[in-house]
């Protein structure tokens, strides 16, 4: 079945004009029963997967030492060796309740596949064609990515006793914003920024992952958050911008709202909301509900007041009033100078 997402939202402009999708289930996969399609060559340089290339073919016989790392509603993640490099293998599973959204989520994972940045997890290869001995009837496709590490910000914020001092959470915040600035400059919006979707490497560098809700926008344009081709647009309700909750236009400013909630979590190490999900959703839109900053002890110092001002801008109910990722960076530098 053809991909429900337009090819222009999945691939850079220098690739898709020559693409012949044919009858394949994916614009990125070649298989004897699928017809013609795009091929992006894979290479091996000095025993490592080339850092600036990704492939629509996975050489399954080159996979070694596949070990499970975790699983969730999206599918399963494994750690493995591939062409001499440690990688993460992500198997995206089919959702029985919403098969269209499952397919869209898989293709959305590739919106940033052609991008290379220090704060974005690199895609190495992706395909929907899986050999029987590697396959799973519930799987839509498989993605190979760089192996960043086994820790994410959610675990660091809530799951460990180690200190999360000002210098550290400011550095993590800057990493996220640098990644967002690069994504937005390439017309990609993530739409599910939250601590669980930010991995922390062994070098203590944050990398944005999980692009299953992302969109590739035409430059300077917004896209409606509703419609048959965007049924996968979701994200986590605690971090979702009010305009998305109302079904209005998608823009990079939606990621800034989500970053604001994430920054608050880094500062306070608390949960942003309590209570029933539907109550929170209604209150965010109708009553401008946001995590507490007014009376919270973390926001009473001079630096805390600067943080409070920045947060109020990031999670403004009006997308146009939020700063861009580019505009956020000097504010974070100012906060860092206060430490």
């Amino acid at each position: 079945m053809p991909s429900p997402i337009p090819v222009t939202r999945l691939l850079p402009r220098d690739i898709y004009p020559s693409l012949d999708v044919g009858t394949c289930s994916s614009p990125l996969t070649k298989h004897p029963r699928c017809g013609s399609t795009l091929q992006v060559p894979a290479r091996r340089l000095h025993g490592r997967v080339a850092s600036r290339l990704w492939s629509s073919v996975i050489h399954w016989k080159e996979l070694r030492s596949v070990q499970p790392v975790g699983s969730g509603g999206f599918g399963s993640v494994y750690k493995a060796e591939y062409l001499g490099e440690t990688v993460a293998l992500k198997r995206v599973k089919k959702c029985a309740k919403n098969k269209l959204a499952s397919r869209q989520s898989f293709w959305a994972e590739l919106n940033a596949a052609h991008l290379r940045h220090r704060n974005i997890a690199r895609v190495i290869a992706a395909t929907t064609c899986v050999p029987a001995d590697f396959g799973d009837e519930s799987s839509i496709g498989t993605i190979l990515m760089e192996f960043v590490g086994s820790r994410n910000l959610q675990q660091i914020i809530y799951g460990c006793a180690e200190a999360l001092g000002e210098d550290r959470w400011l550095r993590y915040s800057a990493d996220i914003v640098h990644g967002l600035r690069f994504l937005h400059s390439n017309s990609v919006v993530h739409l599910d920024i939250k601590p669980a979707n930010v991995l922390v490497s062994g070098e203590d560098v944050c990398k944005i992952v999980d692009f299953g809700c992302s969109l590739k926008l035409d430059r300077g344009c917004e896209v409606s958050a509703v419609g048959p081709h965007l049924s996968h647009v979701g994200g986590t309700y605690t971090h979702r911008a009010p305009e998305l909750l109302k079904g209005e236009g998608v823009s990079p400013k939606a990621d800034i709202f989500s970053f604001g909630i994430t920054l608050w979590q880094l500062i306070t190490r608390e949960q942003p909301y309590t209570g029933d999900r539907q109550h929170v959703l209604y209150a965010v839109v109708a009553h401008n509900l946001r995590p507490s900053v007014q009376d919270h002890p973390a926001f009473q110092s001079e630096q805390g007041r600067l943080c409070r001002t920045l947060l109020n801008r990031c999670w403004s109910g009006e997308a146009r009033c939020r700063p861009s990722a580019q505009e956020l960076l000097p504010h974070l530098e100012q906060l860092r100078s206060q430490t």
Side-chain angles (χ1 to χ4, degrees):
M1 182 174 182
S3 168
I5 295 182
V7 174
T8 55
R9 296 202 190 284
L10 294 172
L11 300 171
R13 290 184 178 274
D14 59 342
I15 292 179
Y16 71 73
S18 61
L19 178 64
D20 178 13
V21 176
T23 59
C24 187
S25 62
S26 159
L28 304 175
T29 308
K30 186 175 184 178
H31 194 274
R33 68 174 182 271
C34 290
S36 59
T37 182
L38 167 71
Q39 287 295 298
V40 183
R43 292 185 196 162
R44 188 175 177 181
L45 300 179
H46 304 295
R48 295 182 62 81
V49 177
S51 62
R52 299 190 64 81
L53 297 174
W54 67 286
S55 174
S56 60
V57 174
I58 294 176
H59 302 282
W60 298 99
K61 292 182 180 180
E62 298 294 335
L63 279 171
R64 303 280 189 275
S65 305
V66 180
Q67 303 171 2
V69 172
S71 62
F74 59 84
S76 303
V77 176
Y78 304 83
K79 181 180 179 181
E81 296 295 321
Y82 183 68
L83 295 174
E85 181 172 344
T86 302
V87 300
L89 185 155
K90 183 172 184 178
R91 181 172 290 157
V92 181
K93 75 177 183 181
K94 187 185 304 178
C95 175
K97 293 183 179 179
N98 195 335
K99 295 180 180 179
L100 173 62
S102 297
R103 288 193 298 271
Q104 289 182 335
S105 178
F106 175 76
W107 301 126
E109 288 276 9
L110 305 181
N111 277 327
H114 62 290
L115 302 178
R116 296 290 176 265
H117 189 272
R118 178 176 182 266
N119 302 119
I120 297 170
R122 173 169 59 90
V123 172
I124 296 167
T127 185
T128 59
C129 297
V130 182
D133 51 340
F134 280 93
D136 181 339
E137 288 187 2
S138 66
S139 174
I140 292 175
T142 301
I143 302 171
L144 290 185
M145 300 170 289
E146 68 169 306
F147 184 79
V148 177
S150 57
R151 295 193 309 164
N152 61 42
L153 281 188
Q154 177 85 5
Q155 295 164 326
I156 289 174
I157 292 171
Y158 300 115
C160 62
E162 63 184 289
L164 188 56
E166 293 174 352
D167 183 69
R168 193 174 174 200
W169 62 252
L170 278 168
R171 182 160 42 82
Y172 287 167
S173 300
D175 280 352
I176 298 170
V177 175
H178 277 291
L180 288 178
R181 179 179 64 171
F182 183 73
L183 289 174
H184 297 167
S185 71
N186 285 277
S187 302
V188 175
V189 286
H190 187 279
L191 297 179
D192 198 17
I193 293 295
K194 60 181 180 179
N197 286 343
V198 179
L199 294 181
V200 182
S201 74
E203 293 74 37
D204 217 29
V205 174
C206 289
K207 292 179 182 278
I208 298 171
V209 295
D210 289 336
F211 284 79
C213 292
S214 69
L215 283 175
K216 183 81 165 64
L217 303 179
D218 292 331
R219 289 191 180 276
C221 298
E222 291 187 353
V223 175
S224 171
V226 295
H229 296 300
L230 298 178
S231 60
H232 76 296
V233 175
T236 305
Y237 80 94
T238 52
H239 294 67
R240 201 174 185 204
E243 66 269 18
L244 302 187
L245 295 174
K246 293 186 287 185
E248 296 176 353
V250 176
S251 77
K253 296 298 183 70
D255 285 343
I256 301 303
F257 182 95
S258 302
F259 167 75
I261 306 294
T262 300
L263 176 58
W264 183 91
Q265 292 174 276
L266 280 166
I267 296 171
T268 66
R269 304 185 82 166
E270 297 178 8
Q271 296 292 342
Y273 304 114
T274 59
D276 176 72
R277 178 180 184 273
Q278 290 302 318
H279 170 77
V280 170
L281 291 174
Y282 176 79
V284 166
V285 173
H287 301 297
N288 208 36
L289 175 68
R290 302 292 186 270
S292 174
V293 294
Q294 195 64 40
D295 300 318
H296 198 288
F299 301 101
Q300 303 310 309
S301 65
E302 179 60 30
Q303 185 195 50
R305 285 189 286 273
L306 290 173
C307 288
R308 187 170 62 196
T309 300
L310 185 60
L311 287 171
N312 285 330
R313 290 188 63 199
C314 287
W315 59 41
S316 170
E318 297 290 332
R320 59 183 175 81
C321 296
R322 298 172 206 149
S324 67
Q326 176 68 44
E327 292 167 338
L328 272 175
L329 288 172
H331 290 286
L332 292 175
E333 285 300 320
Q334 182 184 7
L335 286 172
R336 203 163 185 174
S337 68
Q338 300 285 324
T339 59

XYZ file of all heavy atoms in Angstrom, residues 65-80 86-93 109 121 136 139 141-152 196-197 199 209-210:
326
model
N 24.985 -9.752 17.833
C 24.776 -9.497 19.274
C 23.543 -8.638 19.542
O 23.600 -7.632 20.236
C 26.014 -8.805 19.869
O 27.178 -9.547 19.634
N 22.403 -9.036 18.978
C 21.162 -8.291 19.164
C 20.619 -8.552 20.571
O 20.318 -9.697 20.931
C 20.125 -8.687 18.099
C 18.829 -7.913 18.301
C 20.683 -8.452 16.693
N 20.495 -7.487 21.356
C 20.042 -7.608 22.743
C 18.901 -6.635 22.998
O 19.000 -5.466 22.633
C 21.184 -7.297 23.713
C 22.411 -8.160 23.525
C 23.577 -7.660 24.359
O 23.473 -6.693 25.102
N 24.717 -8.330 24.231
N 17.790 -7.069 23.612
C 16.678 -6.167 23.894
C 17.066 -5.082 24.891
O 17.787 -5.333 25.853
C 15.605 -7.095 24.471
C 16.342 -8.293 24.967
C 17.538 -8.449 24.087
N 16.588 -3.874 24.625
C 16.845 -2.734 25.507
C 15.566 -2.261 26.171
O 15.537 -1.947 27.362
C 17.488 -1.568 24.723
C 17.587 -0.310 25.590
C 18.862 -1.960 24.207
N 14.481 -2.210 25.405
C 13.224 -1.754 25.969
C 12.106 -1.917 24.955
O 12.330 -2.217 23.785
N 10.873 -1.727 25.416
C 9.713 -1.817 24.534
C 8.620 -0.894 25.049
O 8.650 -0.441 26.188
C 9.202 -3.258 24.458
O 8.779 -3.699 25.744
N 7.666 -0.612 24.177
C 6.561 0.261 24.536
C 5.474 0.159 23.499
O 5.434 -0.793 22.705
N 4.581 1.163 23.478
C 3.483 1.148 22.538
C 3.934 1.208 21.094
O 3.252 0.709 20.194
N 5.116 1.776 20.837
C 5.638 1.928 19.481
C 6.243 0.638 18.943
O 6.363 0.444 17.739
C 6.729 3.002 19.462
C 7.883 2.698 20.358
C 8.921 1.882 19.941
C 7.927 3.207 21.646
C 9.972 1.573 20.787
C 8.973 2.904 22.495
C 9.994 2.084 22.067
N 6.706 -0.237 19.832
C 7.409 -1.437 19.411
C 8.539 -1.766 20.366
O 8.402 -1.584 21.577
N 9.671 -2.208 19.814
C 10.794 -2.642 20.647
C 12.099 -2.040 20.155
O 12.262 -1.766 18.962
C 10.899 -4.172 20.637
O 9.694 -4.763 21.086
N 13.041 -1.852 21.095
C 14.370 -1.337 20.777
C 15.408 -2.354 21.237
O 15.299 -2.929 22.322
C 14.622 0.027 21.449
C 16.046 0.505 21.176
C 13.623 1.061 20.953
N 16.434 -2.548 20.383
C 17.493 -3.496 20.681
C 18.844 -2.807 20.492
O 18.985 -1.861 19.725
C 17.425 -4.704 19.739
C 16.101 -5.415 19.744
C 15.043 -4.942 18.967
C 15.895 -6.552 20.513
C 13.813 -5.583 18.961
C 14.667 -7.208 20.518
C 13.632 -6.714 19.734
O 12.415 -7.356 19.741
N 19.834 -3.317 21.198
C 21.219 -2.911 20.979
C 21.880 -3.996 20.144
O 21.668 -5.188 20.374
C 21.944 -2.757 22.324
C 23.397 -2.317 22.212
C 24.025 -2.203 23.596
C 25.485 -1.798 23.528
N 26.113 -1.715 24.870
N 22.683 -3.591 19.140
C 23.290 -4.576 18.256
C 24.601 -4.044 17.696
O 24.939 -2.864 17.874
C 22.331 -4.937 17.121
N 28.287 -0.039 17.026
C 27.188 -0.302 17.944
C 25.997 0.544 17.534
O 26.115 1.762 17.356
C 27.581 0.041 19.391
O 28.732 -0.728 19.760
C 26.450 -0.276 20.357
N 24.830 -0.093 17.359
C 23.646 0.605 16.879
C 22.449 0.269 17.756
O 22.474 -0.688 18.543
C 23.323 0.229 15.415
C 24.473 0.591 14.483
C 22.967 -1.255 15.291
N 21.408 1.085 17.590
C 20.104 0.780 18.169
C 19.188 0.330 17.035
O 19.121 0.981 15.995
C 19.526 2.012 18.862
N 18.522 -0.795 17.219
C 17.577 -1.318 16.236
C 16.173 -1.103 16.789
O 15.849 -1.603 17.859
C 17.858 -2.796 15.985
C 17.048 -3.516 14.905
C 17.831 -4.710 14.369
C 15.693 -4.008 15.443
N 15.374 -0.346 16.061
C 14.013 -0.043 16.502
C 13.026 -0.721 15.566
O 13.012 -0.460 14.364
C 13.774 1.473 16.505
C 12.392 1.877 17.026
C 12.302 3.384 17.172
C 10.987 3.812 17.777
N 10.903 5.267 17.973
N 12.225 -1.607 16.111
C 11.197 -2.290 15.338
C 9.841 -1.653 15.660
O 9.376 -1.708 16.799
C 11.196 -3.777 15.670
C 10.176 -4.587 14.896
C 10.376 -6.069 15.143
N 11.596 -6.544 14.514
C 12.238 -7.640 14.909
N 11.808 -8.321 15.941
N 13.326 -8.039 14.274
N 9.247 -1.015 14.664
C 7.975 -0.314 14.852
C 6.838 -1.297 14.623
O 6.770 -1.951 13.584
C 7.851 0.882 13.883
C 6.534 1.606 14.100
C 9.028 1.827 14.062
N 5.952 -1.410 15.595
C 4.904 -2.416 15.485
C 3.603 -1.823 14.959
O 3.359 -0.608 15.029
C 4.671 -3.097 16.834
C 3.908 -2.286 17.861
C 3.689 -3.111 19.126
C 2.866 -2.358 20.166
N 2.669 -3.141 21.390
N 9.192 8.768 11.331
C 10.491 8.523 11.962
C 11.650 8.907 11.039
O 12.756 9.178 11.491
C 10.629 7.039 12.346
C 9.779 6.608 13.531
C 10.452 6.897 14.857
O 11.498 7.582 14.862
O 9.926 6.438 15.882
N 19.740 12.101 17.217
C 20.180 10.724 17.004
C 20.197 10.418 15.506
O 19.212 10.649 14.805
C 19.257 9.752 17.738
N 8.507 -10.086 12.127
C 7.452 -10.173 13.128
C 6.188 -9.688 12.431
O 6.171 -8.601 11.855
C 7.794 -9.290 14.325
C 6.750 -9.355 15.424
O 5.607 -9.735 15.136
O 7.079 -9.000 16.567
N 5.112 -6.222 12.977
C 6.073 -5.154 12.702
C 5.783 -4.492 11.359
O 5.535 -5.167 10.357
C 7.497 -5.718 12.717
O 8.423 -4.733 12.331
N 8.058 -1.956 10.191
C 9.379 -1.729 9.623
C 10.433 -1.655 10.708
O 10.127 -1.687 11.906
N 11.670 -1.539 10.270
C 12.816 -1.520 11.176
C 13.700 -0.329 10.863
O 13.920 -0.002 9.691
C 13.633 -2.818 11.042
O 12.792 -3.930 11.355
C 14.834 -2.817 11.969
N 14.198 0.320 11.902
C 15.084 1.470 11.753
C 16.357 1.202 12.540
O 16.301 0.805 13.711
C 14.418 2.757 12.263
C 13.107 3.018 11.522
C 15.364 3.957 12.107
C 12.278 4.150 12.115
N 17.507 1.403 11.915
C 18.787 1.350 12.605
C 19.267 2.761 12.876
O 19.279 3.605 11.977
C 19.838 0.625 11.754
C 19.697 -0.877 11.539
C 20.909 -1.395 10.779
C 19.535 -1.613 12.856
N 19.668 3.024 14.113
C 20.142 4.342 14.511
C 21.431 4.209 15.297
O 21.755 3.118 15.774
C 19.087 5.049 15.375
C 17.748 5.265 14.699
S 16.500 5.843 15.869
C 16.242 4.351 16.829
N 22.130 5.310 15.449
C 23.294 5.289 16.326
C 22.842 4.923 17.734
O 21.739 5.277 18.162
C 23.996 6.651 16.345
C 23.195 7.766 17.003
C 24.022 9.024 17.232
O 25.091 8.919 17.853
O 23.588 10.095 16.798
N 23.680 4.196 18.439
C 23.370 3.853 19.821
C 23.891 4.970 20.708
O 25.097 5.160 20.867
C 23.997 2.520 20.220
C 23.612 2.084 21.606
C 22.379 1.505 21.835
C 24.474 2.270 22.675
C 22.010 1.100 23.113
C 24.115 1.878 23.958
C 22.877 1.299 24.177
N 22.959 5.750 21.276
C 23.332 6.905 22.103
C 23.667 6.460 23.518
O 24.646 6.913 24.118
C 22.190 7.943 22.123
C 22.553 9.111 23.040
C 21.901 8.444 20.711
N 22.861 5.588 24.061
C 23.033 5.132 25.437
C 21.706 4.613 25.942
O 20.697 4.614 25.228
N 21.675 4.182 27.159
C 20.463 3.577 27.720
C 19.717 4.524 28.657
O 18.695 4.148 29.218
C 20.821 2.293 28.472
O 21.778 2.554 29.487
N 20.220 5.756 28.826
C 19.547 6.694 29.742
C 18.843 7.791 28.965
O 19.350 8.290 27.962
C 20.563 7.353 30.681
C 21.258 6.407 31.640
C 21.984 7.202 32.711
N 22.850 8.240 32.146
C 23.358 9.254 32.842
N 23.076 9.377 34.123
N 24.157 10.134 32.273
N 17.670 8.182 29.448
C 17.004 9.362 28.914
C 16.751 10.361 30.041
O 16.964 10.060 31.220
C 15.706 8.987 28.185
C 14.690 8.314 29.095
O 14.476 8.718 30.233
N 14.033 7.283 28.585
N 11.430 11.866 28.074
C 11.628 10.483 27.637
C 12.146 10.387 26.214
O 12.700 9.350 25.818
C 10.314 9.705 27.759
N 11.991 11.437 25.424
C 12.442 11.438 24.034
C 13.762 12.182 23.850
O 14.107 12.578 22.734
C 11.377 12.026 23.117
C 10.224 11.070 22.903
O 10.339 9.879 23.171
N 9.102 11.583 22.430
N 17.649 11.344 24.742
C 18.640 10.417 25.282
C 19.888 11.169 25.711
O 20.207 12.232 25.156
C 19.015 9.365 24.236
C 17.912 8.393 23.816
C 18.451 7.401 22.792
C 17.328 7.645 25.012
N 15.362 12.067 20.042
C 15.010 10.820 19.359
C 13.492 10.750 19.187
O 12.764 11.650 19.594
C 15.500 9.583 20.142
C 17.001 9.530 20.206
C 14.913 9.559 21.568
N 13.029 9.648 18.582
C 11.599 9.340 18.439
C 10.849 10.419 17.647
O 10.178 11.273 18.209
C 10.948 9.136 19.808
C 11.385 7.840 20.462
O 11.789 6.924 19.736
O 11.329 7.742 21.700
